[in-house]
């Protein structure tokens, strides 16, 4: 999010203060805050960040053009201004957030926080979060500095942009507007392409967001072109509509930041450009005192609101209610006003805080927090704050990932392999290393964690096999899987598995997946997962696509001459078991319990019905993990102090080992 770039008049830059820009900031920050608070109706509130990008590009260019053309521009003075605007409030929020994280977070969450803290202070947080987009990454609700990605993008832009502007002016002044327009078009074109390929990572990339800041820059450079009053009224109204409509119409399924980002960016540009004509109705609206007031504290409000929401949810260990959300938003506004009034404003005044004191204080604060971040990361999140039993539970995810990291990377590469690649080269050998492989374990990440059970049973029986799994891709042949803005490579991956079946002709194929998510498309419990969509031509609806895809997989297995072993559903918890147990210990709460047997049956009803029909065939065997993971009333989440899950639905090494007897009969056949 953009920090304030409004000069407090009088200011040597000579820029005229426009209260409507502060009002526009309010229209940007409020949707972002309400979106993060999950207030109904604001599903597209994330576009507020794009509005801030445009405002920043406009104001920074306006300031730079006061000194660059005549040579009076000072790079040192420019960065001094950036430090005054950004660092005091940022260091305050980062320091308070660090104290809260140390007090509250379990070791793995604290270690992740340390890396994000370093990224925040050194303005590369966007790359930190882009790198953490793995399948088993922690949810956003455990990342109190996640919102700092936008601040990092702006500062990365500010490092290069003055030099680009200076270079274009020195080359030829007439190149300035077309040169920046060309850069904006290149950035926009790249954003369209990369968003189609990988929207999640494109969201965080500075070169794919630069066009939004450059849109504001182009408005600033067109200062001589003032619209006629009647056209300005229309343009400003259209601009407000282009900003506000996406707030209510966009959602997690919207492909972003590609073409969809054009609406809020164009809207902000229109409002800024039209606002040069005095007396517009939009100016009067945006200059209303409540909007201007929110605009003045918008930077601080953006900094505070997300950590407040994250830590409150972390302590509550459940979704927050409407009253709690309202109270937290009020608290965020109070904190924002306080830090604006007593931190931001004093540091903006060079009389009160001189340049030397400013830089010395900022450097000292950053150094201390960076040292703390390094210590927290190197210590793996200060595990000594918790009993060893709790630490072992929290480490369950890392243990499972480390045990099969090589297999996961090998299998994942199959989805990216070029045409004509041999699928056998990407299959991971499991079981007895002295035996010839004759079975295949095929599925999504649930198959990837069940490998510990299957491989253990195979080793006892003196057999070997292969593992081919892809996170988020249930083994449904010809079915494409979509999650929110992203399209997976599931269809391609499973076609290559089918080719593997034809070539290798295993004797048995075991199918494992998170079946209920595939069959219903809906997350479970407190999950923040984006719903899953299955697509198969001629089979409208997710349940129909699920059954048809599963039937095609069984047909391919049958055509290869293999027996099918359907691995039934593993109970889903709806909450992160190790983290919840650690939080319960930390806050003195009752330990969590697993879902009731009736709740498990209700969640898996469609899956169990489909499996029962398929298991009637002579060459299909159904095995039920719930037989060893549940009793007559409830499903288990731990056994003798060892967690059976490493998150909300994946088994840990201990949980998978519990299922080895389940596969013993199949491995002896």
């Amino acid at each position: 999010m953009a920090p304030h770039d409004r000069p407090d008049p009088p200011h040597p830059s000579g820029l005229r203060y426009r209260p409507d820009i502060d009002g526009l900031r309010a229209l940007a920050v409020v949707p972002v805050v309400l979106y993060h608070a999950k207030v109904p109706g604001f599903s597209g509130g994330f576009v507020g960040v794009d509005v801030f990008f445009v405002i920043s590009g406009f104001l920074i260019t306006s300031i730079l053009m006061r000194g660059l053309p005549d040579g009076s521009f000072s790079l040192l003075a420019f960065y001094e201004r950036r430090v005054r605007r950004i660092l005091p409030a940022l260091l305050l929020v980062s320091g308070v957030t660090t104290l809260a994280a140390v007090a509250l977070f379990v070791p793995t969450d604290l270690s992740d926080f340390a890396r994000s803290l370093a990224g925040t202070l050194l303005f590369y947080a966007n790359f930190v979060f882009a790198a953490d987009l793995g399948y088993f990454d922690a949810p956003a609700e455990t990342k109190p500095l996640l919102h700092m990605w936008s601040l990092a993008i702006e500062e990365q832009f500010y490092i290069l942009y003055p030099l680009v502007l200076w270079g274009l002016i020195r080359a030829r002044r007439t190149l300035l507007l077309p040169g920046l327009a060309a850069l904006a078009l290149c950035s926009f074109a790249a954003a369209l392409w990369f968003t189609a390929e990988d929207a999640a990572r494109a969201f965080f990339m500075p070169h794919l967001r630069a066009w939004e800041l450059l849109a504001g820059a182009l408005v600033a450079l067109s200062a001589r072109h003032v619209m006629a009053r009647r056209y300005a009224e229309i343009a400003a109204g259209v601009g407000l509509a282009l900003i506000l409509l996406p707030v209510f119409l966009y959602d997690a399924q919207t492909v972003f930041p590609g073409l969809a980002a054009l609406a809020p960016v164009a809207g902000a540009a229109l409002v800024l450009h039209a606002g040069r004509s005095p007396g517009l109705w939009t100016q009067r609206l945006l200059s209303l005192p409540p909007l201007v007031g929110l605009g003045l504290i918008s930077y601080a409000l953006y900094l505070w609101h997300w950590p407040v929401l994250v830590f409150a949810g972390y302590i509550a260990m459940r979704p927050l209610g409407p009253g709690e959300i309202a109270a937290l938003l009020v608290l965020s506004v109070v904190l924002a006003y306080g830090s604006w009034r007593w931190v931001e404003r004093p540091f903006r005044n060079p009389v009160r805080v001189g340049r030397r004191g400013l830089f010395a204080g900022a450097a000292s604060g950053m150094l201390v927090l960076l040292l703390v971040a390094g210590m927290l990361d190197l210590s793996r999140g200060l595990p000594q704050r918790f009993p060893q039993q709790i630490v072992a539970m929290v480490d369950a995810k890392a243990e499972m990932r480390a045990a099969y990291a090589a297999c996961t990377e090998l299998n994942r590469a199959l989805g990216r392999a070029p045409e004509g690649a041999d699928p056998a080269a990407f299959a991971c050998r499991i079981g007895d290393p002295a035996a010839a492989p004759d079975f295949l374990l095929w599925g999504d990440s649930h198959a990837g964690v069940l490998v510990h059970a299957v491989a253990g049973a195979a080793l006892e029986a003196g057999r070997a096999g292969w593992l081919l799994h892809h996170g988020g891709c249930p083994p449904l042949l010809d079915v494409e899987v979509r999650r929110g803005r992203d399209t997976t490579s599931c269809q391609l991956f499973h076609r290559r598995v089918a080719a593997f079946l034809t070539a290798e002709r295993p004797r048995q194929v075991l199918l494992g997946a998170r079946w209920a998510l595939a069959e219903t498309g809906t997350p479970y419990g407190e999950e923040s997962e984006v719903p899953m969509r299955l697509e198969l031509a001629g089979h409208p609806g997710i349940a129909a696509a699920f059954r048809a895809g599963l039937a095609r997989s069984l047909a391919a297995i049958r055509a290869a001459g293999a027996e099918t072993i359907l691995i039934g559903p593993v109970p889903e918890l709806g909450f992160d078991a190790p983290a919840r147990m650690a939080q319960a210990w930390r806050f003195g709460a009752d330990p969590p319990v697993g879902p009731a047997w009736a709740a498990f049956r209700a969640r898996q009803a469609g899956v169990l019905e489909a499996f029962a029909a398929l298991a009637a065939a002579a060459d299909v065997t159904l095995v039920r993990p719930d037989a060893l993971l549940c009793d007559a009333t409830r499903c288990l989440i731990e056994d003798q102090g060892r967690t059976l899950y490493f998150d909300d639905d994946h088994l840990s090494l201990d949980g998978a080992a519990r299922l080895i007897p389940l596969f013993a009969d199949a491995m002896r056949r």
Side-chain angles (χ1 to χ4, degrees), residues 39 62 83 116 141 172 249 300 437-438 456 479 511 592 620 642:
V39 175
S62 300
V83 171
S116 69
E141 287 78 4
R172 183 177 295 178
L249 298 180
D438 64 352
V479 172
L511 297 181
V620 177
R642 301 289 292 178

Side-chain angles (χ1 to χ4, degrees), residues 55-353:
I55 296 172
S56 288
F58 171 79
L59 292 173
I60 288 300
T61 303
S62 300
I63 292 169
L64 291 173
M65 290 304 294
R66 294 284 176 173
L68 276 174
D70 61 12
S72 62
F73 172 75
S74 166
L75 196 60
L76 178 61
F78 174 77
Y79 286 119
E80 177 188 347
R81 178 181 173 80
R82 302 309 312 148
V83 171
R84 290 187 185 277
R85 294 293 187 187
I86 295 170
L87 282 183
L90 179 64
L91 291 175
L92 172 65
V93 173
S94 297
V96 173
T97 303
T98 300
L99 292 174
V102 170
L104 301 175
F105 275 180
V106 301
T108 51
D109 291 338
L110 186 58
S111 183
D112 289 342
F113 168 81
R115 289 189 288 274
S116 69
L117 176 61
T120 294
L121 296 169
L122 297 177
F123 301 112
Y124 66 92
N126 53 323
F127 294 113
V128 172
F129 296 120
D132 283 345
L133 287 172
Y135 186 76
F136 292 118
D137 184 37
E141 287 78 4
T142 63
K143 299 177 180 179
L145 297 178
L146 178 61
H147 60 321
M148 298 300 186
W149 70 269
S150 61
L151 190 63
I153 283 182
E154 288 200 4
E155 296 313 305
Q156 290 156 17
F157 179 81
Y158 293 152
I159 290 173
L160 296 176
Y161 181 60
L163 301 177
V164 171
L165 210 59
W166 176 80
L168 288 172
I169 290 173
R170 286 292 301 269
R172 183 177 295 178
R173 179 69 181 269
T174 55
L175 291 177
L176 190 56
L177 197 61
L180 291 182
L183 289 174
L185 286 174
C186 289
S187 173
F188 180 60
L192 294 178
W193 191 86
F194 280 102
T195 300
E197 292 293 312
D198 189 348
R201 281 182 172 78
F203 195 87
F204 294 105
M205 293 297 104
H207 60 296
L208 308 181
R209 294 291 194 145
W211 69 275
E212 303 181 28
L213 290 121
L214 289 171
L218 293 173
V219 174
L221 292 173
S222 61
R224 291 178 297 175
H225 305 286
V226 179
M227 291 184 183
R229 173 68 178 271
R230 62 181 181 279
Y231 297 124
E233 293 276 14
I234 296 172
V238 171
L240 280 181
L242 289 174
I243 292 170
L244 293 176
L245 286 176
V247 170
F248 307 112
L249 298 180
Y250 289 2
D251 57 22
Q253 308 295 333
T254 304
V255 179
F256 204 87
L259 193 61
L262 189 59
V265 170
L270 284 173
V271 171
L272 289 171
H273 186 62
R276 293 196 181 99
S277 299
L280 304 183
W281 69 270
T282 52
Q283 286 179 326
R284 294 193 297 273
L285 173 66
L286 294 174
S287 298
L288 291 173
L291 290 179
V292 173
L294 280 172
L296 288 171
I297 66 169
S298 60
Y299 174 51
L301 180 57
Y302 185 82
L303 292 182
W304 281 111
H305 82 282
W306 182 242
V308 166
L309 292 170
V310 166
F311 288 125
Y314 204 87
I315 294 170
M317 297 188 292
R318 55 170 173 76
L320 299 171
E324 294 168 318
I325 291 291
L328 292 171
L329 294 182
V330 171
L331 174 61
S332 299
V333 172
V334 171
L335 291 171
Y337 175 79
S339 60
W340 171 78
R341 177 66 178 82
W342 288 292
V343 178
E344 284 188 63
R345 288 186 65 186
F347 276 93
R348 289 182 193 172
N349 189 340
V351 175
R352 297 184 65 175
V353 182

Side-chain angles (χ1 to χ4, degrees), residues 104-107 382-388 390-391 582 585-586:
L104 301 175
F105 275 180
V106 301
L382 297 177
Q384 57 269 31
R385 296 170 300 141
F386 292 84
Q388 184 55 43
I390 296 294
V391 173
W585 178 87
R586 168 65 82 190

